[in-house]
Structures are given as C-alpha cells and as structure tokens.
C-alpha cells in the first residue's frame, strides 16, 4: 500500500512539475509576448506581429547572410549593408517601432532626447542580462550593474586618468614605431608596397594593449589574443541561437571549444595576476601599466573600506577586467584605425591635409602629448570616421519595471534598442550629406556638430560612457601621425568594401592598400 502511495505521489509530483514548467514556457514564449505586443501597440508603436519562438530573428539572419555573401559598392552609406533589417523596420513602421528578438520585443529609439534619457538613467534602464556566450568572451565593467558597477568603475578609473595616459605615451610610440619599421622593411626598390594593412593594425593594437595593460610585448601575449579572437567569432556564431530553450546546454563542438578557450585564457591571466600580487605584497614598486594601477587601486579600496567579503575585487573580478582590457582595447582602436586609413585612401585631399598638419606640428620628430592634443584636422577626421563607421553598431537596454519615456509608457519586460549607426547616418540630424565623409562638420567640436543633442555616441554616453575612449583616441592619433609622417597610401585593386560585424565593425575582406614612402620634411 505504501509503495502504491509513493508511486502515486511521485506521478502527481511529476505531472505538477511538468504542468508548471509547461505553463512557464507557454507564458514566456507566447502569452507574455502577446501581452507586451498589445501594450506597445496601445502606445502607438508598430512592428511585426509576434511569431512563436523566433520572432524576427529568422528574417534578420537571412538578410544578414545575404549581406555577407558579397561586397557592397564603394560608399559610406553602410546602413543598408550592415543594419538592413533594422533600417527596413524603421522605414516600414516608423522611427519609434519595435522588432522581435526571439520572444522579446525591442523598441527602436532614434530620437536624441529619448536616447539621452535612457543613457542618463542607467539605473532605470540597465543592460540586458548578458548572453552566456558573451560571458565566455569577456564580462567585467561593461556588463556589471548597480553597486558592483560603481565599485569597479571607481577602482579602474585611476588607470585611465590623463596623467597615467601621458605616462603610457612612450609605449604607444614604441609599438607604433615597430609597425612603421616593419612596413619600411617591406618596401620594394621604388619605395612602394602592396599589402593588407588590417592584420598589421590588429597586431599593433594588440601590442599596445599588451604592453600598457601587462608590461609584456605582443609576442608574449599572442596566444591570449589569438584565443580571444577565436572566441569572438564563435560568440557571434552562437549568439543568435540563444533564444532556443536549452540550446546553450547542448554539448556541441562549438560550445566545448568556447569553454576550453575560456579555461585556457583564465589560466594564463591568473598566472600573470598572481605574480603581480606577490610583488605588490612584497613591497615592490607598482608598474605603471593598467594591471599594476588596477591592483594598487584595488588594494587601496580594500584598506580604506575594510577587508570584508564584498569590498574590492576578487581574483575572478580582476581576470574578467583583464579580458575586457584585452578585447575592448584591441578591438576599438584597430577598427578605428583601419576605417580611417580606408577613408583617407578614398579622400586623398583629407589625407594630404592631415599629413600637412602632422608635419607642421611634429616635423620629423617623435609625436608628444601636447602636439597630439592640438591636432585639429586629425581629430576632425577621427570623429567623422567614428560617425560613419562606429565600432559598435548599437546598444540595448532593458525595462525591468513600467517606465515613462517621452510620451510613451514602456511596460516591464521589453527592451530598448539604441541604433548608433542609424542615428549617425540620419539626414534629419546631420543634414543632406549625412551619408558622406565630411570631417569639416566637426571643425568646431562635437557639441557644435550635434547642436547639443545625443546624436553622436560611438563610445556610448552618460554615466556609462566607455572608460577607455581617451586611451583609444590617443593611441589612434599616435599611430596615424607616424603613418602619415612616413607613408602615403591608396586602395589597391584587391580591396573589396564589405563592413561586417564581428562584435565590432570590421572589413570582411581586409584592407588592401598600396603604401608609398614619403620624403620627410624638416619642421
């Protein structure tokens, strides 16, 4: 009798669990999305009807695959190539419309005032929960929220202040000068050379971040960089399937490889950090690199706040911040440099103007901090490149509770999408030449160019603006100055224009150019 009761109880329990699970899945995949769709339409927002499980992702992936199958025309109007589905949705449904990211509706916002509100109110509009695939790549400051974000930002800030960047400038020069020497060694007898500069610029940015973050050369850090590069490609591959229930738990070869890379990178970084920690505790002088400054700042935080459980960063926290140094520091600067060189190939008059300015300020001499800070034309060019080819195409934020935004009330459970590249190319915000390369628009600075609106935010905006933006801009100025001092460059016939997103916006087929040695003039 007792056995029969036990069996019956087990069956009832199993059925109850199955019913609860089934109800939750039905609610997540259909009932909740349909309720959110109704609430959004009541706000006057338009979008496609909710489709079970996949939402708009099937169409999104199809259009993305078509775009990647061939190069585009040589034009800076890149939105139809890299952001076509969102553009089509906005054209069809209006500027404040929504798309379906699986069962989650994402409201697209292009109004600078609404964008400003979202990015200013970072506690009301937090980042969505990070895709588990992205966690294997890097998390750290970019993904934290609330008190943990505030604490990490406070500890990391000293590593990126102006005085520390000045100290790092000789490291920038060393890495950039090594690149110049390498290119000079590749020149033929007539002083020219045809090459794909993209891998060289990736290696340059890798070398800089490796030296400035860890005091080691790119050669020593090569394995970590190669692993992180592979991890980024795998992350993009699996990210679009994250909405499939249980997909991330399947032991696919891709998932296994990603976990192996994660373990290998963590072991390498743990060794570096432990070595530094021992030196710090032994009273050795702190090195003026990002890791050294971060560890010193972390120790200071712990001493001031008391050595309790939630004070300062633990080893895992430091590892994740190091991975973010590696990834963000390398990716952002390398893509900024490659698109700058590509655009200066296409607009030789601006290349000549930039070179004249560099030679006027530095002549044959080594660029210094004050001179780099006064490069007006180079700065205008870099801003215009960031406008047309932003490293990250868009940002997303989540709505955890019903939120008033402009004349809308967004229900809890939706997300908002801030399409950087769409806003940067908007003719209503930037004029009829919005899709054209015109650095002159930044001749009086960003504030004047944007009329004070949040219509230019390649590094984000508000409290969570990218902590490394000054690092990246300064490195790009150093590299570009040295390149312009030594070379003129033009696109080769092998160049194919195909911007593509691999986390950041990259040239799908590389950046094939012809470099020519220029005669140095005296200051």
């Amino acid at each position: 009798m007792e056995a029969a009761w036990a069996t019956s109880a087990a069956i009832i329990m199993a059925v109850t669990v199955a019913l609860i699970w089934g109800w939750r899945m039905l609610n997540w995949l259909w009932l909740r999305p349909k309720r959110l769709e109704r609430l959004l339409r009541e706000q006057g927002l338009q979008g496609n009807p909710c489709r079970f499980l996949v939402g708009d992702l099937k169409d999104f992936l199809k259009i993305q695959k078509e775009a990647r199958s061939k190069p585009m025309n040589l034009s800076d109007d890149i939105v139809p190539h890299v952001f076509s589905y969102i553009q089509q949705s906005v054209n069809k449904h209006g500027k404040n419309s929504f798309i379906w990211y699986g069962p989650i509706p994402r409201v697209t916002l292009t109004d600078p005032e609404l964008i400003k509100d979202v990015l200013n109110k970072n506690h009301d509009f937090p980042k969505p929960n990070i895709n588990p695939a992205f966690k294997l790549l890097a998390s750290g400051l970019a993904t934290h929220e609330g008190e943990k974000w505030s604490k990490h930002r406070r500890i990391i800030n000293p590593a990126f202040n102006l005085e520390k960047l000045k100290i790092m400038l000789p490291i920038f020069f060393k890495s950039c000068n090594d690149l110049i020497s390498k290119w000079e060694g590749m020149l033929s007898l007539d002083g020219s050379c045809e090459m794909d500069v993209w891998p060289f610029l990736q290696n340059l940015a890798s070398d800089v971040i490796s030296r400035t973050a860890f005091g080691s050369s790119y050669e020593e850090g090569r394995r970590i960089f190669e692993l992180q590069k592979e991890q980024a490609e795998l992350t993009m591959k699996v990210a679009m399937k994250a909405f499939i229930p249980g997909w991330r738990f399947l032991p696919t070869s891709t998932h296994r490889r990603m976990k192996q890379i994660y373990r290998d990178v963590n072991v390498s970084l743990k060794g570096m950090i432990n070595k530094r920690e021992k030196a710090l505790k032994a009273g050795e002088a702190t090195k003026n690199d990002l890791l050294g400054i971060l560890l010193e700042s972390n120790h200071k935080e712990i001493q001031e706040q008391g050595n309790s459980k939630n004070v300062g960063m633990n080893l895992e926290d430091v590892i994740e911040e190091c991975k973010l140094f590696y990834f963000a520091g390398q990716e952002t600067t390398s893509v900024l440099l490659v698109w700058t060189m590509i655009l200066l190939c296409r607009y030789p008059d601006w290349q000549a103007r930039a070179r004249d300015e560099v030679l006027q300020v530095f002549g044959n001499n080594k660029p210094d901090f004050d001179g780099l800070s006064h490069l007006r034309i180079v700065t205008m060019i870099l801003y215009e490149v960031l406008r047309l080819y932003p490293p990250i195409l868009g940002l997303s934020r989540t709505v955890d509770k019903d939120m008033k935004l402009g004349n809308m009330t967004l229900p809890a459970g939706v997300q908002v999408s801030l399409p950087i590249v769409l806003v940067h190319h908007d003719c209503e915000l930037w004029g009829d030449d919005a899709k054209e390369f015109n650095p002159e628009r930044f001749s009086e600075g960003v504030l004047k160019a944007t009329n004070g609106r949040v219509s230019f935010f390649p590094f984000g905006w508000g409290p969570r603006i990218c902590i490394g933006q000054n690092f990246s801009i300064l490195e790009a100025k150093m590299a570009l100055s040295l390149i312009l001092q030594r070379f003129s460059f033009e696109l080769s016939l092998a160049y194919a224009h195909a911007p593509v997103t691999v986390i950041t916006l990259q040239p799908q087929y590389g950046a094939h150019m012809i470099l020519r040695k220029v005669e140095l003039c005296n200051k």
Side-chain angles (χ1 to χ4, degrees), residues 102-238:
I104 301 172
R106 276 189 178 176
V107 178
T108 303
L109 302 177
T110 59
D111 183 333
E113 282 303 311
L114 299 183
I115 292 170
K116 179 180 179 180
D117 276 355
V118 170
L119 293 179
N120 254 339
K121 300 173 181 175
N122 58 308
H123 295 298
D124 291 330
F125 295 94
K127 291 189 174 185
N129 289 331
I130 186 171
N131 185 313
F134 284 89
K135 279 187 178 180
L136 295 177
L137 177 62
S139 53
L141 187 67
T143 62
H144 297 323
E145 292 292 340
E147 178 54 34
K148 188 168 186 178
W149 172 79
S150 299
K151 178 177 69 176
H152 280 228
R153 183 90 180 198
R154 185 171 62 249
I155 293 170
I156 296 169
N157 260 333
F160 290 95
N161 70 35
L162 201 59
E163 293 308 310
K164 296 298 182 185
L165 290 181
K166 287 182 181 179
I167 292 170
M168 292 175 190
L169 202 62
I171 300 174
F172 291 0
F173 175 78
K174 171 73 170 68
S175 297
C176 295
N177 202 46
D178 287 349
L179 172 68
I180 297 299
S181 298
K182 203 174 291 183
W183 282 358
E184 286 177 334
M186 297 171 65
L187 296 174
S188 60
L189 292 175
D190 67 354
S192 69
C193 179
E194 185 168 344
M195 69 172 80
D196 179 5
V197 302
W198 172 229
F200 288 97
L201 296 175
Q202 287 178 297
N203 289 351
L204 165 65
S206 299
D207 192 41
V208 169
I209 197 66
S210 190
R211 292 174 192 262
T212 54
F214 309 110
S216 62
S217 70
Y218 171 69
E219 295 302 326
E220 293 174 61
R222 181 190 293 274
R223 182 166 173 272
I224 291 178
F225 282 115
E226 290 303 319
L227 288 172
Q228 286 292 84
K229 183 180 176 183
E230 182 184 353
Q231 192 80 303
E233 292 169 352
L234 294 174
T235 297
M236 290 301 293
K237 183 178 177 182
V238 304

Side-chain angles (χ1 to χ4, degrees), residues 235-255:
T235 297
M236 290 301 293
K237 183 178 177 182
V238 304
M240 289 302 178
K241 295 181 180 178
F243 65 92
I244 301 175
W247 173 262
R248 66 189 177 97
F249 298 109
L250 296 178
T252 65
S253 59
T254 300
H255 288 149

